[in-house]
Amino acid sequence: MPQPLPELTDHLGYRIRQVSNHVSHAFARKLAARGVTVAEWALLRMLYGQPPLPPSQLATRMGMTRGAITRLADRLIGKGLLLRAPSVEDGRAQTLGLTESATAFVPELAGLADRNEAECFAHLSPAERQTLRDLLERTVARLGITGAAVE
């Protein structure tokens, strides 16, 4: 007779993934309706209110390869949301920055993120949401997670 095993739902990681999948997919659908992916949103949000940054810095901040950032940037340039320009410090290097239309668009997308969070976590009190945020932030710090959650 096989040894009894815990149920999948007994594992905290399973429950976290279950909630994460739901929250992420709901948000991805909202963004898709506006013509943007989650990864594109993360890059746009990272650049919002910032001076243009080199792709290498964005790759480090987002936990992605420089090639992945370049592909993401190419898509956003094609959508008229990102500009690639020579670096002010080193004309051989390039920087990425938001277009005017992206600067106006990012707050709209941030509103979608806020609404998605409200829809998914409305059953929790503000104190419970803060406790959950604190617990997750402690776990992120303990595990040394630095990249953006884009997948």
Side-chain angles (χ1 to χ4, degrees):
M1 176 164 220
Q3 175 182 344
L5 296 174
E7 295 295 324
L8 278 176
T9 55
D10 292 339
H11 294 276
L12 188 56
Y14 178 82
R15 287 296 195 190
I16 290 170
R17 181 64 181 207
Q18 196 176 28
V19 171
S20 174
N21 284 351
H22 178 84
V23 173
S24 297
H25 292 135
F27 186 48
R29 285 189 301 275
K30 288 173 177 68
L31 288 174
R34 300 296 294 130
V36 179
T37 68
V38 173
E40 291 168 347
W41 150 248
L43 181 58
L44 292 171
R45 181 59 190 93
M46 194 159 287
L47 284 168
Y48 185 77
Q50 300 294 315
L53 295 172
S56 57
Q57 269 189 36
L58 290 165
T60 299
R61 289 181 186 185
M62 293 185 70
M64 299 173 82
T65 65
R66 187 155 179 228
I69 293 294
T70 298
R71 288 187 296 279
L72 201 53
D74 288 344
R75 288 198 323 252
L76 289 167
I77 289 167
K79 294 177 182 185
L81 297 172
L82 210 60
L83 295 171
R84 184 180 281 128
S87 169
V88 178
E89 291 92 31
D90 178 359
R92 297 169 295 168
Q94 295 184 338
T95 60
L96 297 171
L98 298 182
T99 63
E100 284 185 36
S101 60
T103 300
F105 190 39
V106 170
E108 179 184 331
L109 299 176
L112 292 178
D114 292 343
R115 282 192 294 287
N116 192 65
E117 186 163 309
E119 290 167 9
C120 293
F121 300 104
H123 65 289
L124 300 175
S125 71
E128 288 171 325
R129 284 193 302 273
Q130 187 59 51
T131 297
L132 180 57
R133 185 175 289 110
D134 292 344
L135 292 169
L136 292 172
E137 286 176 4
R138 280 181 33 208
T139 303
V140 164
R142 178 174 176 303
L143 296 176
I145 300 169
T146 58
V150 295
E151 292 186 33

